[in-house]
Amino acid sequence: MTGTTKRVTVQEITTRLNSLFQWGRKNKAKVQVVEPENKATATSNVDYNALGIARIAPGEFPEKPPMLNGLSPHLMRQWLVLPLNIEDDEVVIAMANPGDLYLRGLLGGIYRKKVVPVLAEEEDILSTIYRWYEAEVDLEGDDADSEASLADELWEDPEQLRDLASEAPVIRLVNHVISQALEVKASDIHFEPYRDQLKIRFRIDGVLHDVETVSKKLQPAITSRIKLMGKMNIAEMRLPQDGRIKVKEGRNEIDIRVSSLPTLFGESIVLRLLNRDEIKLDLGTLGLSGDILGDFEELISKPYGMILVTGPTGSGKTTTLYGVMNRINSPDKKIVTVEDPVEYQLDGINQIQIKPKIGLTFASALRTILRQDPDVILIGEIRDSETAEIAVQSALTGHLVFSTLHTNDAASAITRLQEMDVESYLLSSCILGVMAQRLVRKICPKCKTEIDVPEGLFEEILPGMGLDSMDRPARIWRGTGCPACANTGYSGRTGIYELLKVDEDIARSILSGADSGTILSIAKSKGMRTLRQDGLKKALNGETTLEEVMRVAS
């Protein structure tokens, strides 16, 4: 007699297992299982250590799911269990309530092995299930050609995009990426489109790290979801756009700046994460060395003149200026800022967001500010000759003016303003000082160790930094890498600085049209410490590494 085999779907198996589980719950008296009335009582009043049941911490879950069959993610989520490892005669399972003997027996029957339970928090189990299975499903895709054609169809229908961006899996995926970025203290999230994939990267302590590769077919939905959150036009895909998102993480309020840029394979999206509660707006916490901090505080206490902060994008210039505003802000001063964008709201300070589309530029705003009777003016950036001229005139007419420039060192800021057609005699009269800065990664305190100085290192580095005559230590510090710093050896950042104070000699050299090299030589002869010299000092003090200093201030 020939028999036929009926195929059973995963959904049917899940339904049957769940029915069996519910039946066991209803008939638990027959199997003599004593179960607490609620989950909280089960996990809080039982001494699992005394029972020999270990606890698993969030960081101890494996990165990838083990090759186990038997339970669907749906059942794992409903039963709050997570199989971790399987051996010859036993299976290790994380459980929110390892005291549930009936559930342990059911799991043993499913895997036909002895169950070794470990205690885990409910939220850790749920987040790991998402990371292992649901995110994996969200990120899966078909072949590149079908994905590309699907994406093309979606781009042509904004309403379909809006519906797709409002679906739960996409919302959950975007929220998960943002939460993950906040957890690792990333400053930026990059969504970068390529021919057959969407790459997600985080910038952590100034360095980009690959995080995830997402299916190309999800690109339209993810991009549209972020643009909807940022109140941007999802139908406009040919022009760059800017937006802003406000989210809450616990009690912290996070500002997210959104920037979209059309590329060959779709829109590149960058999210800048601004955590108001973590930003340090105190000059004393920014890494300014004692002598530089003292000289800088003397400059910012002047009643009028111009002070510039220079450095590349992302070097912490705005944070430094905000720290200055906090330091000098008092009831007897009126402070007005012109920024693009306004990154943090400062109490007691009038902040202006420029809007070039309606004609509110740095130059036009500055003209109006001068009629507002300010004592201190902060200009987000000097970008053109008109803004430079008004800023200089403001400093000459009794205002204290702060601004930023994109130059490599402090001395180059003088020549940059001269290139903007600002007369040398005006610069020599109004500029009080220029501070250049960079951000370097700090050595992780949890894996910081001393190492022997490599042979010939100081002979190679110190002369180029102008410190060949200094005492050379036998040992330096480095981070070996640990889970707390994601095995990078670094955690957090600090600043390295050079402060050029404009005294009579430097003012005369500016008036005579001297180049930046001449100005730098005069300043160094008067004791100015350069960026690399300040960085080397911090490296020898164990705050950062020599490699990090050379990376950012080569």
Side-chain angles (χ1 to χ4, degrees):
M1 182 176 178
T2 304
T4 59
T5 303
K6 180 182 178 181
R7 300 190 62 175
V8 182
T9 65
V10 174
Q11 185 176 3
E12 290 174 331
I13 294 175
T14 299
T15 302
R16 293 178 188 178
L17 284 172
N18 202 35
S19 299
L20 177 62
F21 180 65
Q22 297 301 332
W23 179 88
R25 288 285 185 184
K26 293 178 181 178
N27 296 274
K28 59 187 177 185
K30 298 179 181 179
V31 292
Q32 298 181 349
V33 177
V34 178
E35 186 175 285
E37 294 182 0
N38 57 62
K39 192 182 304 176
T41 305
T43 57
S44 60
N45 293 342
V46 179
D47 186 359
Y48 289 110
N49 288 330
L51 297 177
I53 297 176
R55 177 185 290 271
I56 183 170
E60 296 176 348
F61 285 92
E63 285 297 318
K64 296 182 179 180
M67 300 300 292
L68 290 175
N69 296 319
L71 287 181
S72 68
H74 173 75
L75 279 182
M76 295 179 195
R77 179 179 289 276
Q78 187 165 346
W79 295 355
L80 295 175
V81 299
L82 191 65
L84 301 177
N85 187 32
I86 190 167
E87 296 182 359
D88 294 338
D89 57 350
E90 64 183 28
V91 56
V92 180
I93 300 179
M95 304 177 66
N97 182 13
D100 189 333
L101 301 181
Y102 175 77
L103 179 56
R104 284 166 57 176
L106 182 60
L107 293 171
I110 293 173
Y111 288 104
R112 299 183 182 277
K113 295 180 184 296
K114 176 186 175 183
V115 172
V116 178
V118 293
L119 176 64
E121 296 294 334
E122 176 181 337
E123 60 183 38
D124 295 335
I125 291 176
L126 294 176
S127 63
T128 305
I129 292 172
Y130 173 80
R131 179 164 57 86
W132 282 2
Y133 302 103
E134 297 181 1
E136 186 77 18
V137 171
D138 287 345
L139 302 180
E140 283 179 356
D142 303 321
D143 62 281
D145 292 337
S146 63
E147 289 176 4
S149 60
L150 175 61
D152 290 340
E153 293 175 6
L154 288 172
W155 289 128
E156 295 172 0
D157 189 350
E159 286 305 316
Q160 188 178 354
L161 274 176
R162 188 181 299 273
D163 294 340
L164 191 60
S166 302
E167 292 182 357
V170 175
I171 294 174
R172 192 166 58 238
L173 176 58
V174 173
N175 291 348
H176 173 71
V177 171
I178 295 175
S179 297
Q180 190 178 3
L182 292 172
E183 184 178 340
V184 299
K185 300 187 185 306
S187 61
D188 301 84
I189 307 173
H190 292 244
F191 294 86
E192 300 175 345
Y194 295 96
R195 180 185 297 276
D196 56 356
Q197 63 185 10
L198 178 68
K199 183 177 290 187
I200 301 175
R201 301 203 286 172
F202 291 169
R203 187 176 295 279
I204 305 171
D205 292 336
V207 179
L208 277 171
H209 300 270
D210 288 342
V211 175
E212 198 72 72
T213 299
V214 182
S215 166
K216 187 71 174 179
K217 73 177 183 180
L218 286 173
Q219 180 184 330
I222 292 173
T223 301
S224 299
R225 173 61 188 167
I226 295 172
K227 290 169 75 174
L228 281 175
M229 293 170 69
K231 297 180 174 58
M232 301 155 69
N233 183 2
I234 64 171
E236 179 55 75
M237 306 159 198
R238 303 162 299 169
L239 297 173
Q241 294 187 67
D242 293 314
R244 198 160 194 161
I245 304 170
K246 286 188 178 182
V247 299
K248 280 196 172 182
E249 184 195 29
R251 295 182 178 179
N252 294 345
E253 189 171 298
I254 313 295
D255 281 337
I256 303 178
R257 288 210 319 256
V258 187
S259 172
S260 70
L261 180 70
T263 69
L264 184 61
F265 298 110
E267 289 179 284
S268 172
I269 304 286
V270 176
L271 308 184
R272 167 66 60 88
L273 309 177
L274 303 168
N275 191 337
R276 296 179 182 178
D277 295 318
E278 287 193 356
I279 192 72
K280 297 181 177 68
L281 300 180
D282 181 3
L283 285 178
T285 63
L286 299 181
L288 286 158
S289 303
D291 54 343
I292 297 179
L293 178 59
D295 290 341
F296 192 55
E297 287 180 328
E298 181 183 347
L299 289 179
I300 66 177
S301 64
K302 301 287 186 182
Y304 58 86
M306 177 184 285
I307 298 173
L308 299 172
V309 179
T310 75
T313 301
S315 60
K317 301 186 298 296
T318 301
T319 302
T320 298
L321 288 179
Y322 278 173
V324 171
M325 295 301 106
N326 266 353
R327 178 66 61 92
I328 66 176
N329 188 16
S330 62
D332 62 335
K333 289 188 178 73
K334 177 162 184 174
I335 302 176
V336 184
T337 74
V338 189
E339 305 172 61
D340 182 28
V342 175
E343 294 192 0
Y344 298 98
Q345 288 80 48
L346 303 175
D347 293 335
I349 294 177
N350 300 276
Q351 296 175 269
I352 301 172
Q353 166 75 57
I354 72 164
K355 299 176 182 177
K357 291 182 179 179
I358 62 173
L360 183 60
T361 62
F362 279 114
S364 63
L366 281 172
R367 291 194 197 94
T368 305
I369 284 175
L370 294 176
R371 296 194 289 271
Q372 290 281 313
D373 187 31
D375 297 292
V376 180
I377 301 172
L378 168 60
I379 306 168
E381 182 184 348
I382 295 178
R383 297 177 179 175
D384 51 48
S385 301
E386 188 178 8
T387 304
E389 182 180 354
I390 299 174
V392 169
Q393 292 295 339
S394 301
L396 289 172
T397 54
H399 303 90
L400 185 58
V401 178
F402 294 89
S403 190
T404 69
L405 278 174
H406 291 285
T407 61
N408 291 328
D409 57 20
S412 299
I414 308 296
T415 55
R416 178 64 55 83
L417 289 174
Q418 290 170 336
E419 291 168 358
M420 292 182 178
D421 299 326
V422 179
E423 296 293 344
S424 297
Y425 72 89
L426 297 177
L427 291 177
S428 64
S429 302
C430 75
I431 293 187
L432 299 174
V434 183
M435 187 162 73
Q437 67 178 76
R438 299 287 191 280
L439 292 177
V440 294
R441 292 180 290 174
K442 295 191 294 184
I443 299 174
C444 174
K446 295 190 176 179
C447 60
K448 179 179 178 179
T449 56
E450 279 189 292
I451 62 169
D452 294 330
V453 176
E455 185 177 354
L457 176 67
F458 286 118
E459 286 73 12
E460 177 182 352
I461 292 178
L462 293 184
M465 291 189 168
L467 297 177
D468 49 318
S469 61
M470 71 174 294
D471 294 332
R472 307 180 186 187
R475 312 202 74 184
I476 55 177
W477 284 266
R478 183 168 296 167
T480 57
C482 64
C485 62
N487 293 316
T488 63
Y490 298 98
S491 178
R493 289 190 289 178
T494 188
I496 59 175
Y497 304 88
E498 67 179 29
L499 179 60
L500 171 66
K501 295 186 294 181
V502 178
D503 58 12
E504 291 183 4
D505 293 333
I506 293 179
R508 277 196 294 269
S509 68
I510 295 173
L511 186 59
S512 65
D515 60 17
S516 60
T518 303
I519 296 173
L520 177 62
S521 297
I522 297 173
K524 289 171 69 176
S525 69
K526 292 177 174 293
M528 186 188 85
R529 190 162 63 242
T530 64
L531 280 169
R532 282 177 288 177
Q533 290 169 343
D534 191 50
L536 179 60
K537 181 180 178 181
K538 286 182 168 63
L540 298 183
N541 288 337
E543 296 179 52
T544 186
T545 62
L546 292 171
E547 294 87 351
E548 184 69 5
V549 174
M550 298 304 293
R551 180 181 71 86
V552 303
S554 60

